[in-house]
Amino acid sequence: YLEKSEKTSKIEVGDRILFEPQLQEITNPGNPHEFDYKKYLSYNLISKQAYLKSGEWKLLKSDSTFHLKALAERIRKKVIKIFKTSGIEDEELAVLSALSLGYKDDLDADIQKSYSSSGAMHVLAVSGLHVGIVFLVFNFLLFFLQRNKWLKILKGIILLLLLWAYATMTGLSPSVIRATTMFSFIVMGNMLGKYTNIYNSLAASAFLLLLANPFNITNIGFQFSYLAVIGIVFFYPMFYGMIFVKNKWLDKVWSLICVSLAAQLITGPLSIYYFNQFPNYFILTNLIVIPFATILIYEAIILLCFSWFPWMQDLIGQTTSYCVRLLNDAVQWIEHLPGSVTTDLNISTLSTIVLYVFILAITFYFLTKKALPFIISLTSIACFIFLLIWQNIKSENRKEFYVYNINKYSAINLVDGNNNLLFTDLLPSNKQYSFSMKNNWLSMGLEKEKTIPFHKLNNQFIISNLFYLDNPNVFYKDQFFSFYDTRFAIISDDIPAADTILHPVHLDFVIISANAPVKIKDIMKVFKTKQIIIDSSNSAYKTKKWKEEAEKMDVNLYVIKEKGAFYIDISS
C-alpha cells in the first residue's frame, strides 16, 4: 500500500519500484463471520503486506521488457480518454468504462448499490455477454473471409487475436477468460470445420483456469460465471419450449425472460449465501439492462472507429452518454420500486447444498418422471425446512456477549434470544457498522438490532434507554452493566480514587475504551475482576503502556486489536 501523493499518481502498470522490504503478516479483525480478508488475499496468491510512505520508495526507470498487462492498461486508458473527449463524463463515463472495459475504479458507491439492488450488477462485470457481443460484431465485420478454407483460417486467427486483445484490455478476470476460452474453442472448431460441444468448451476453459491457479475455484465471479452459463445452456431450452410465441418481438422478450429465469434459478441460492439478498425484479431488470448493454457496447465500438472524425465523435458520444443516462435512470427506478430487493437473508453452507440438491432432483424428476428423483427432492426440501427450524430454536436459546474489533470504535453486543442490543459510539451510517457485525447477526437469524450510543448512557436519557433495552435480563447504571449473571464495567473516563473504596466491586470483566486516563493498578484496586479487556477504540501507545503494566502485575489482559473480537457464551 502506497501513501497517496503526486508521486504515486505517476505509477503505471508494469513499472518497478525499489524499496526496503518491511513485510508484515496480514491479519483479520477476528470478528465472527466477518469477510476473511486474509484468506481472500491468500487465494489471490498474496501472503504479506507493507505500507510505504512517499519517501520510502523510488520509481525505477522503465526497462525495455515487454509487459502485456502494461500495454493493455495503456490501451484501456487511451480508450477511456477517447470516451472523455467525446463528451461522456461523470457517472455516464464510469458506467460505460465498467460496462465495456471492466474498469470500475471510478464507480461511486451509490451507483454500485443501485445496480446491485436491482440485480443488474452483472452488466458492469465484463463476462460472457460482453465477449459474445464483441465476437458477433467482429465475426460480422469479417464476413468476406468465408470464401475458402484458407480465408476461414485467416478469419479464425484474426478473431482469436481480437478476442484475447479485448480480454487482456478488460483485465483478464476469470469470467472474461472463461468466456474468451469458450469462444476460442468455437472459433477453432469453425476453422477446422468441427462441431464444438459447449459443455466441453466450458470444461476445457475451467480446466485451464484451474491449472493456472487452483484457487480460482474460490473466486465468487468464477463460481457465478460457470453456474450461470451452465444454467442457461441446460434450462433455457426447457423454459423456452414451454410456450410458443408467434409474434417476432414478443418471442424475443420471452427468450430474454427464459434466459433470466435459467440463470437466476441456478445462481439464486449462491447469491443469497454470499450477499444475503435477492433482487425480486430480476426479470424486469434484465429486460431493460441487457438490450441497453448490447446497444452500448455496439456504440462504444462505433465511437472508437469514428474517433478520427471530430463531428462524428461528438455526435456518437452524445448519443452514447444519453443511452448510459437512460440505463442508470432505469436501474435506479427499479431499485426504488416497492420490494425491489429482499435483504437480510441468511442460509448456511449446508442449506445451500440442500437447495441445489432439490433443484437438481426436481429437474430430473420432470425429465424422467421417475420416483427416485421425486423422493430425493421431497427429502431435500424437508431437510431445508428442518435446518431453518433448528436455526430458530438455537436463536431462541442464545445468550452471548461480544466486544467487536472495529478500529477506533467501541462496540459491545449483548444477544439474548432474538433480542439484540448494541452499545457503541459507531454510527449506523458508517460502513464499518454493517461490514463488521451484520454477517454475525444474520448467521444467528437476528433481523434487527437496538443501538444505544455511549454518549446517551447517563441519567439524562434513562427513560429512552429503558425503552430501547426492553429486556429484564439487562441492567445498567452509569458505567456498570449486568447481563444475566455476568457483570462488567466500561471505563472511558476517570475512576474513583482507590483510597475512597472500602470494598472492591466484583466484576467478570472490565472494558477500557476511548483512551481512558486510568492505570491497571488503580483498576485492580477498585475492581475485583477476572479479566481486563482493552477494546479497539484505544491508541497503540496507550495499549502498549497498559500491556507493560499488566505483565508486571500478572493481570489477565485481552487486547482486542491483537487477538480479535472477544466472545463468551453466557448460556453455557
Side-chain angles (χ1 to χ4, degrees), residues 5 9 28 30 46 82 88 104 127 159 247 327 414 473 505 511:
S5 65
S9 65
N28 283 323
I46 298 167
I82 291 171
I88 305 168
K104 298 181 182 178
S127 61
L159 278 174
N247 184 279
L327 174 60
L414 307 180
N473 303 310
V505 179
I511 302 168

Side-chain angles (χ1 to χ4, degrees), residues 431-471:
K431 284 196 298 184
Q432 285 289 91
Y433 187 93
S434 57
F435 186 82
S436 301
M437 300 177 284
K438 193 78 172 181
N439 280 347
N440 188 39
W441 298 335
L442 290 174
S443 71
M444 294 187 283
L446 301 171
E447 295 180 359
K448 293 182 179 179
E449 69 281 355
K450 294 178 181 177
T451 303
I452 303 174
F454 279 128
H455 72 270
K456 289 190 176 182
L457 289 179
N458 56 53
N459 292 331
Q460 181 184 352
F461 298 98
I462 191 165
I463 300 298
S464 60
N465 285 339
L466 287 173
F467 173 75
Y468 267 117
L469 290 175
D470 193 25
N471 188 328

Side-chain angles (χ1 to χ4, degrees), residues 193-424:
K194 302 289 184 181
Y195 168 74
T196 52
N197 182 286
I198 193 164
Y199 292 108
N200 287 342
S201 298
L202 281 170
S205 62
F207 175 75
L208 289 174
L209 280 174
L210 295 175
L211 198 63
N213 178 10
F215 288 124
N216 275 329
I217 196 71
T218 66
N219 184 285
I220 295 175
F222 181 95
Q223 295 169 16
F224 272 93
S225 181
Y226 278 93
L227 273 179
V229 175
I230 291 168
I232 291 168
V233 171
F234 187 79
F235 288 108
Y236 170 76
M238 296 168 56
F239 291 151
Y240 184 70
M242 289 179 181
I243 299 174
F244 175 72
V245 181
K246 289 184 180 180
N247 184 279
K248 177 184 174 181
W249 296 107
L250 287 178
D251 182 63
K252 290 184 182 296
V253 171
W254 171 238
S255 177
L256 199 51
I257 289 171
C258 291
V259 170
S260 300
L261 286 171
Q264 200 68 48
L265 176 65
I266 203 70
T267 59
L270 204 64
S271 179
I272 295 170
Y273 175 73
Y274 281 124
F275 305 117
N276 307 118
Q277 66 179 31
F278 187 83
N280 297 320
Y281 299 128
F282 67 91
I283 292 176
L284 175 62
T285 299
N286 285 327
L287 284 173
I288 294 172
V289 300
I290 291 178
F292 262 112
T294 306
I295 292 167
L296 285 168
I297 292 173
Y298 281 128
E299 286 186 331
I301 294 170
I302 294 168
L303 180 59
L304 294 178
C305 293
F306 287 93
S307 61
W308 307 103
F309 308 99
W311 67 273
M312 284 289 289
Q313 183 185 11
D314 291 342
L315 179 62
I316 300 167
Q318 288 174 15
T319 307
T320 305
S321 182
Y322 182 70
C323 283
V324 179
R325 198 176 308 123
L326 283 178
L327 174 60
N328 289 346
D329 290 344
V331 167
Q332 288 168 346
W333 171 71
I334 293 170
E335 181 199 12
H336 291 103
L337 286 175
S340 63
V341 60
T342 303
T343 57
D344 295 346
L345 297 173
N346 178 67
I347 54 174
S348 64
T349 305
L350 183 57
S351 296
T352 307
I353 294 168
V354 169
L355 270 182
Y356 277 113
V357 170
F358 169 74
I359 291 169
L360 291 173
I362 201 69
T363 301
F364 280 103
Y365 167 71
F366 282 116
L367 290 173
T368 63
K369 301 296 182 184
K370 291 183 178 179
L372 182 60
F374 185 68
I375 293 168
I376 293 173
S377 67
L378 288 179
T379 305
S380 59
I381 204 67
C383 289
F384 182 76
I385 293 169
F386 170 78
L387 289 170
L388 291 179
I389 294 170
W390 177 246
Q391 185 183 41
N392 287 334
I393 292 170
K394 281 181 21 180
S395 295
E396 289 176 3
N397 297 320
R398 186 174 279 115
K399 300 177 183 66
E400 295 175 352
F401 172 90
Y402 297 89
V403 182
Y404 292 105
N405 184 8
I406 305 173
N407 190 35
K408 298 181 181 179
Y409 293 100
S410 297
I412 290 94
N413 191 194
L414 307 180
V415 178
D416 185 14
N418 291 318
N419 189 249
N420 182 16
L421 293 172
L422 179 69
F423 300 89
T424 184

